Amino acid sequence: MKISDRDVLLAIDVQNDFCSGGALAVPGGEKVVPAINRIAQRFGNMVLTQDWHPRDHVSFAPNHVGKQPFQTIELDYGTQVLWPAHCVQGSSGAEFHRDLDVTRASLVVRKGFRRGIDSYSALFENDKRTPTGLLGYLRERELKTVFVAGLALDFCVRFSAEDARKAGFEVVVIEEACRGIDLDGSVTATHRSFRQCGISVVGLEAFL
């Protein structure tokens, strides 16, 4: 696969709390790190996202009396999954995995920092209206194709890929550089959505 200066690698939330031993560990989450590091060497443009929640964030189950992680509540913008407290601003859990090569990144997008709204997508918060600023960056830089990797495939990777596609970009998800949580069949639903949206899914061999 030929990578041009109009392509960007978007590495989603490769943070300690999403890796083994973390507060919201994705099974095998840390295994995306060597894959992303290897792929990143092919790209002149790389963006990292970082979950960056206040301790009283609305998506944290401990902030709702009687609620348990992975239950849901209804908010102004729709159904919200309640998560274990994770990626709290300034905590070690919010830091990037120590082995992730962050030196190639030209931008870090912090998301989920507004107390009353969660943010899965790298482009928009969960109300589908509040921008993170990444869309403007991609357009200003005149980038055309967004390659997406990271955590978790069926939440933040999925929402980021879908929003980029809706915004008019070509989108490619690098499956072997992602890992999923798989809540109630969410990985299968993600692959179905990618097909419907025209989002390509490729393996690592495409970059060898």
Side-chain angles (χ1 to χ4, degrees), residues 17-81:
D17 268 346
F18 296 127
C19 297
S20 293
L24 184 49
V26 179
E30 64 282 353
K31 293 179 181 176
V32 306
V33 174
I36 291 172
N37 287 345
R38 185 174 185 182
I39 295 163
Q41 296 173 19
R42 300 281 305 276
F43 284 82
N45 304 298
M46 183 179 183
V47 173
L48 304 176
T49 71
Q50 188 176 23
D51 250 13
W52 197 248
H53 298 307
R55 195 167 296 280
D56 61 350
H57 197 261
V58 70
S59 75
F60 289 173
N63 294 330
H64 299 270
V65 176
K67 293 291 187 181
Q68 297 298 316
F70 309 111
Q71 291 182 329
T72 60
I73 59 171
E74 293 301 316
L75 296 175
D76 293 345
Y77 54 83
T79 302
Q80 172 67 51
V81 177

Side-chain angles (χ1 to χ4, degrees), residues 2 23 41 64 101-102 108 117 128 134 140 148-149 156 167 206:
K2 189 173 181 347
Q41 296 173 19
H64 299 270
D101 181 5
V102 301
V108 175
I117 183 169
K128 306 290 189 184
L134 179 58
E140 190 91 355
V148 192
C156 296

Side-chain angles (χ1 to χ4, degrees), residues 5-157:
D5 61 2
R6 290 288 175 261
D7 298 331
V8 59
L9 177 62
L10 178 57
I12 304 290
D13 298 355
V14 186
Q15 295 166 259
N16 291 330
D17 268 346
F18 296 127
C19 297
S20 293
L24 184 49
V26 179
E30 64 282 353
K31 293 179 181 176
V32 306
V33 174
I36 291 172
N37 287 345
R38 185 174 185 182
I39 295 163
Q41 296 173 19
R42 300 281 305 276
F43 284 82
N45 304 298
M46 183 179 183
V47 173
L48 304 176
T49 71
Q50 188 176 23
D51 250 13
W52 197 248
H53 298 307
R55 195 167 296 280
D56 61 350
H57 197 261
V58 70
S59 75
F60 289 173
N63 294 330
H64 299 270
V65 176
K67 293 291 187 181
Q68 297 298 316
F70 309 111
Q71 291 182 329
T72 60
I73 59 171
E74 293 301 316
L75 296 175
D76 293 345
Y77 54 83
T79 302
Q80 172 67 51
V81 177
L82 295 177
W83 305 105
H86 65 280
C87 297
V88 173
Q89 296 170 0
S91 69
S92 60
E95 293 173 4
F96 292 117
H97 190 281
R98 65 181 181 278
D99 294 331
L100 182 69
D101 181 5
V102 301
T103 61
R104 306 186 73 85
S106 54
L107 178 70
V108 175
V109 176
R110 285 178 167 169
K111 60 189 182 68
F113 57 82
R114 293 178 175 86
R115 181 202 161 276
I117 183 169
D118 208 2
S119 186
Y120 297 157
S121 170
L123 284 77
F124 291 96
E125 300 200 342
N126 284 8
D127 62 358
K128 306 290 189 184
R129 296 189 303 274
T130 305
T132 64
L134 179 58
L135 179 57
Y137 174 87
L138 297 175
R139 287 177 171 164
E140 190 91 355
R141 294 282 312 280
E142 298 182 348
L143 300 171
K144 303 297 183 188
T145 303
V146 181
F147 290 78
V148 192
L151 304 169
L153 172 69
D154 39 342
F155 285 91
C156 296
V157 170

Side-chain angles (χ1 to χ4, degrees), residues 140-196:
E140 190 91 355
R141 294 282 312 280
E142 298 182 348
L143 300 171
K144 303 297 183 188
T145 303
V146 181
F147 290 78
V148 192
L151 304 169
L153 172 69
D154 39 342
F155 285 91
C156 296
V157 170
R158 174 183 175 174
F159 277 61
S160 300
E162 291 175 354
D163 280 351
R165 188 76 186 100
K166 287 172 192 167
F169 295 92
E170 293 298 317
V171 179
V172 180
V173 172
I174 310 163
E175 186 167 30
E176 290 165 75
C178 302
R179 290 293 186 279
I181 297 174
D182 205 14
L183 279 182
D184 300 322
S186 52
V187 168
T188 298
T190 294
H191 282 288
R192 185 186 314 119
S193 175
F194 286 168
R195 289 192 296 272
Q196 293 169 346

